[in-house]
Amino acid sequence: MATYLEFIQQNEERDGVRFSWNVWPSSRLEATRMVVPLACLLTPLKERLDLPPVQYEPVLCSRPTCKAVLNPLCQVDYRAKLWACNFCFQRNQFPPAYAGISEVNQPAELMPQFSTIEYIVQRGPQMPLIFLYVVDTCLEEEDLQALKESLQMSLSLLPADALVGLITFGRMVQVHELSCEGISKSYVFRGTKDLTAKQIQDMLGLSRPAVPIQQGRPLQTPEQPVISSRFLQPVHKIDMNLTDLLGELQRDPWPLRSTGVALSIAVGLLEGTFPNTGARIMLFTGGPPTQGPGMVVGDELKTPIRSWHDIEKDNARFMKKATKHYETLANRTAANGHCIDIYACALDQTGLLEMKCCANLTGGHMVMGDSFNTSLFKQTFQRVFSKGFNGEFRMAFGANLDVKTSRELKIAGAIGPCISLNAKGPCVSENELGIGGTSQWKICSLDPSTTLAIYFEVVNQHNAPIPQGGRGAVQFVTQYQHSSTQKRIRVTTIARNWADAQSQLQHIEAAFDQEAAAVLMARLGVYRAESEEGPDVLRWLDRQLIRLCQKFGQYNKDDPNSFRLSESFSLYPQFMFHLRRSPFLQVFNNSPDESSYYRHHFARQDLTQSLIMIQPILYAYSFHGPPEPVLLDSSSILPDRILLMDTFFQIVIYLGETIAQWQKAGYQDMPEYENFKHLLQAPLDDAQEILQTRFPMPRYIHTEHGGSQARFLLSKVNPSQTHNNLYAWGQESGAPILTDDVSLQVFMDHLKKLAVSSAS
Amino acid sequence: PLYVVNHGETGPIRCNRCKAYMCPFMQFIEGGRRFQCGFCSCVNDVPPFFFQHLDHIGRRVDHYERPELSLGSYEYVATLDYCRNNKPPNPPAYIFMIDVSYRNINSGLVKLICDELKTLLDKLPREEQEESSAIRVGFVTYNKVLHFFNVKSSLAQPQMMVVSDVGEVFVPLLDGFLVNFQESRSVVINLLDQIPEMFADTNESETIFAPVIQAGLEALKAAECAGKLFIFHSSLPTAEAPGKLRNRDDKKLLNTDKEKTLFQPQVNSYEALARDCVANGCCVNLFLFPNQYMDVASMGLVTMYTGGTLYKYNNFQLDSDSPQFLSDLRRDIEKKTGFDAIMRVRTSTGFRATDFFGAIYMNNTTDVEMAAVDCDKAVTVEFKHDDKLNEDSGALIQCAVLYTSISGQRRLRIHNIGLNCSSQLADIYKACETDALTNFFAKSAFKAILSQPLKTVREILLNQTAHMLACYRKNCASPSAVSQLILPDSMKVLPVYMNCLLKSCVLVGRPEIPTDERAYHRQLVMAMGVADTQLFFYPRLLPIHSLDPRTDTVPAAVRCSEERLSEGGAFILTNGLSMFLWLGVSAPPELIQGLFNVPSFAHISTEATLLPDLDNPFSKKLKSILEHIQSQKPYTMKLIIVKQREQPEMLFRQLLVEDKSIYGGASYVDFLCCVHKEICQLLS
């Protein structure tokens, strides 16, 4: 039999799903005692090379409250042409098109290997994708030039039939008309005045004249809104025009930034003209909003932008109002099915803290850089329009995720770049984890790696045991607009065995996915951290960890040394240790913007990337052998090693003391030391490989022993040697870290003590 | 031009107490070390740089070398103390704001304006010594929304910026809106070429108005300069925006106590706007092209308060009316203008200025503010005694106008006048000027109708006339029979002028007279000078059949009465706004041939608004006379050809002011009788 590890991996590859528990405790009480909730990480649009979509409508269960999709788990009566829904047990007739099916002639959706299947359906008119550029002109000349070039370049990357629009802003907000010949025309708005969607549409001349009602004839559905074409034009038609227009953009002579109004107009424009079709609002900003609704900092240079300290002291005077402004906008955008990307490039903060919801609620990207004139921005932006293996854009729009569960389960909530659709139903739990109270969520924009955490609750009562061999099932139905503008539905149906936690705890224990569990718990923690005080979240995480260890550890009471965890749990405490130190939960040394940025990405990446974020990977390169992963520990920092650390956001190459000296001496240039040259090159090549695929582009740091940038590495490694534990001084093992943080060893000692304590 | 005095950084020399400027009325004493102010008698030190010895009659040696010591009018260069925010002013700007709603596009007006501007912009006024004009220009078009244009010289194409937030207008750009025409010539010409095309397909018929002025004002504010707006507008602003107007013309209000409301603005916002404009040196010139009621009283208010000029072309037809309009536009653009002006009138003791009339704005009782003042605008000042005047020293008046010149220089223009005083009433009556009196009475009456019923105003005018004449009769005239009407020599024509004033359409409420016409006339008169009011109230009637082309003499004007017309004659009649060529039914064919190049009376077309250019001395002579008349008047007059006993004669006859008017105004004789009766009553 395959190991659980293989099982988990296989499931992830096929269905894009990782559950915290792969055998489910069969009663509510037992489930709550498992500490880590029954939950999964779902990558709805996981790229599947081997999954050709089928060109027909899915068959739905006829019970109005169920409407589950026919799947391999359903019981089928081939003779009577009936199938039984595995969620509600409703017996359904097959539609006429299925008359020819038999045991040997099954439709794809009944075959076990198609637990995940994708349908292409014909619904409504196919609308082209829309890209609305919202460009800050309050930039340094050099920055603006670089941004203009990036934007001009991006036009060639868009689908040819995509509609594009351009809004620029500084002190004023300009909506550019793209259709006109001759004189370039733009509508200008005051940057300090918030306008309602209606006002914006009136002022842009987008309000449709009242349709005269003709007698005796039914009202026809309004045709495509031609009127908006003034501001949104097919890129193939106006790319020359737009290229010129972008080229002529001037720096704003008034140094004020009306980001709030610019976004509001962008949202209002799309809301009025193209609701419920895939559209990206791409905000490029070179600094914080300084006027109007949504301003984050005053325009006087003497007042610095808010810090965590100010926020704690309740000194951030614009924060609440600004956040509210952007939240309102984000919710409207999400309701329209559009998304907002934020590309913020400045050395100081740009107000991501206040604006984060715009990207978080709509599935938009958030990119933070120092300048538009950096490869970090340029390549990241280029990667937005990258294509997958089949030549399709790696973006999808307006997804609606519907989750169905078998009766023993209820849905507690989801955490990810989504909003609730408030779909109540029998399978929605009253206990919320994340965004709860619904069985459906809207993800306005997603890519093949977008991953949601979905939390469940076992509701089966203790006294109603599930028959031997019973399985629980979950179905994920994701309807979305494909980048080719097709409407598609992806259906994933999975099942797991039930087990009685009292008699079969070892089964459940063995089927624990500690990686998934760590990420799922981390998402809950980060979600809490958005609204709760940092220390409270840490205490909650600690308590959960201790309880988990008490439940699954093997020990003698009050004897820390006897404490053991089985293999499937062994790494979990370490993940929690690093999570506690991570920028997702610690704000020390991070600006509010950075925290928002890190949390944004943490809430949407898949399991592998999330784990890298929690516990960065460290590779060592030396003459002693091939490159190898080493412990993320200060003891790994040795003079004759080159280290490559990947924290997801940063790639750090660190030359050990000796290596750095060699390099300074120029050995790599001498033919007799060619192997040294290769050694230096090896991590660079590996780093390139990571840089090739990562979105957003990580910050690339090349440093050496004693270099100031080495702090990126030193702040991440487990401080097993510090200036405090003197015994390590002078020894040839690793580098001491100047910190008062506890090391993993101390953490583990405390954990063991608390876990075995009979007092708690 | 006037002499300019420049004292450098010291600035003008003034009396320490009353702040009067150095002028011939200042008396130098103590060997020239001090001077005594002629207005307040304060003794001031002479600044060292200005010191000069006195000659044997106590006059400064340099008396004739200094304009401020020897001339009645001269200019001072002002220092930074006289500038807004103590900063030297920027050169003024002209902003052209064109209504591009359906009507203006359709009538061809927009194209006409744009084409004309291409040549006109080369003729912006400049200081005599300058190569080119310092004035910057900007362009706005509008209908329900405003379109600003970026015409920066570095652009290949102008850029259009639409501001649709008319509730709170702002200027969407600073750099590139106001430009030097010479530098941005190609972009501006490109724009003027494109504007008519750009809106060729428009079907927008609604317009805004107050936001247009606001936009111009904001643009000038942003550029920190004074300037003029040229607004070309053709309909009642009914679009939803501040200053929105409705058609409130109501003939039922005529001759009631509420009639005055027709002359008041419909909404308050225009007053506030005007105040703002004046405070920022923004003058509004308004060209109206109405074909129905347009509420001139409301729309013209800002123009009036800011020292602008209002032009109105009823039922504008491209063919017949464009020469008149273009000529007006040309004259207005080329006009010498002072901007951001403030005027102060100082007097010697015993009397003071109490009231001011004109296209002005007053924030307090002494400072007359004018966003701009040009050569055709006059301010009428009323003085009153507040003490005894001294016959020896006379009455001294100094009027100082601080303004920004077209090149952006801050200047002070000083006018001084000394008048004799007399204790003899007869002397006073002898020295009276009826034309000035008429101007004053007209302006004060036209101001009064805003607050009093027309009937009262008319009664006051009649009473004042009677009082003046009765007073003369009682105190100055030699005794004679009560029934005899005796007029002072200098006031012989006062009754006829008064009658004309009382007959003017402003003071006569008749349903046949359009309300807009009355408001328009009222506004024009308020800004007029003495010569203009004289002609306006008593038009000039010139017999041209007796014109002798061989001499330079202009035929003497005859009295404005039908009796003076003759069937065999031809007459020119003009009041400064319109000009008629009246032809008697039996006018000599030679004359007709000479003027119109047609054989007979019947062949004359009354459609024409210009006389044909003919190569004969008679025609040339007449044309030169007409040109001469025109050159003295601020408004271009359209020539209307009227044939005796044809319909249009009605308009012509209204200007025959000595006759009984069709709208009920008394004939001169009737009025004289009426005045006489009043005088008799007063004397008895």
Side-chain angles (χ1 to χ4, degrees), chain A residues 360-624:
Chain A
N360 287 350
L361 300 188
T362 67
H365 300 306
M366 188 189 279
V367 174
M368 191 170 83
D370 290 344
S371 154
F372 288 110
N373 197 16
T374 56
S375 63
L376 186 144
F377 166 72
K378 289 177 186 172
Q379 297 197 22
T380 302
F381 182 48
Q382 211 162 347
R383 220 158 275 174
V384 172
F385 305 101
S386 66
K387 291 181 177 175
F389 69 94
N390 48 5
E392 288 165 344
F393 286 97
R394 292 166 56 86
M395 56 173 89
F397 293 92
N400 181 340
L401 171 65
D402 191 356
V403 181
K404 300 178 191 305
T405 59
S406 39
R407 286 171 180 176
E408 303 84 2
L409 279 181
K410 281 193 177 187
I411 303 156
I415 298 177
C418 59
I419 57 159
S420 161
L421 279 172
N422 273 321
K424 309 280 183 218
C427 61
V428 175
S429 164
E430 285 172 4
N431 301 319
E432 293 186 16
L433 285 173
I435 307 164
T438 178
S439 65
Q440 292 182 27
W441 294 269
K442 191 168 185 177
I443 316 155
C444 294
S445 165
L446 64 172
D447 59 45
S449 68
T450 304
T451 301
L452 278 78
I454 296 170
Y455 298 85
F456 299 95
E457 188 186 15
V458 177
V459 289
N460 196 44
Q461 289 306 321
H462 190 62
N463 48 15
I466 293 165
Q468 189 70 31
R471 303 178 87 194
V474 179
Q475 188 171 63
F476 304 102
V477 182
T478 314
Q479 305 187 39
Y480 67 99
Q481 183 184 350
H482 190 254
S483 63
S484 66
T485 75
Q486 286 167 340
K487 294 268 168 25
R488 294 195 180 187
I489 303 173
R490 189 183 281 217
V491 181
T492 296
T493 318
I494 60 97
R496 295 288 187 271
N497 290 328
W498 293 109
D500 179 12
Q502 275 171 335
S503 57
Q504 300 166 301
L505 188 63
Q506 70 283 10
H507 287 306
I508 296 176
E509 201 180 320
F512 181 63
D513 182 344
Q514 52 184 339
E515 292 181 338
V519 175
L520 285 161
M521 288 304 278
R523 280 216 189 181
L524 275 179
V526 172
Y527 184 82
R528 279 171 171 249
E530 292 284 291
S531 52
E532 288 175 32
E533 298 275 332
D536 294 348
V537 179
L538 292 181
R539 266 197 292 279
W540 172 81
L541 265 184
D542 291 346
R543 210 163 44 239
Q544 301 301 311
L545 177 61
I546 295 164
R547 281 182 54 206
L548 189 77
C549 290
Q550 283 171 337
K551 174 80 182 171
F552 293 100
Q554 282 158 11
Y555 52 87
N556 302 325
K557 273 224 176 328
D558 296 319
D559 178 6
N561 290 327
S562 67
F563 184 85
R564 294 284 176 277
L565 273 173
S566 70
E567 202 182 335
S568 57
F569 285 86
S570 57
L571 294 174
Y572 188 81
Q574 190 181 327
F575 288 139
M576 289 299 121
F577 168 76
H578 286 292
L579 176 65
R580 292 176 95 265
R581 285 166 53 90
S582 74
F584 310 112
L585 297 179
Q586 296 288 347
V587 299
F588 178 75
N589 240 340
N590 286 309
S591 68
D593 272 12
E594 285 170 320
S595 299
S596 306
Y597 175 69
Y598 294 140
R599 287 173 184 173
H600 165 89
H601 285 286
F602 187 69
R604 63 176 53 206
Q605 291 294 339
D606 63 18
L607 180 133
T608 318
Q609 307 296 336
S610 300
L611 275 184
I612 295 176
M613 292 188 212
I614 295 173
Q615 181 175 345
I617 318 176
L618 197 61
Y619 292 99
Y621 300 76
S622 72
F623 287 126
H624 304 305

Side-chain angles (χ1 to χ4, degrees), chain B residues 418-438:
Chain B
L419 299 169
N420 289 329
C421 300
S422 171
S423 51
Q424 298 302 314
L425 264 182
D427 289 345
I428 297 190
Y429 272 97
K430 224 178 274 174
C432 145
E433 195 199 323
T434 330
D435 290 352
L437 275 184
T438 313

Side-chain angles (χ1 to χ4, degrees), chain B residues 129-145:
Chain B
Q129 68 276 16
E130 303 281 340
E131 275 284 299
S132 63
S133 175
I135 290 174
R136 291 176 296 163
V137 291
F139 302 88
V140 171
T141 59
Y142 65 94
N143 39 42
K144 240 165 67 175
V145 296

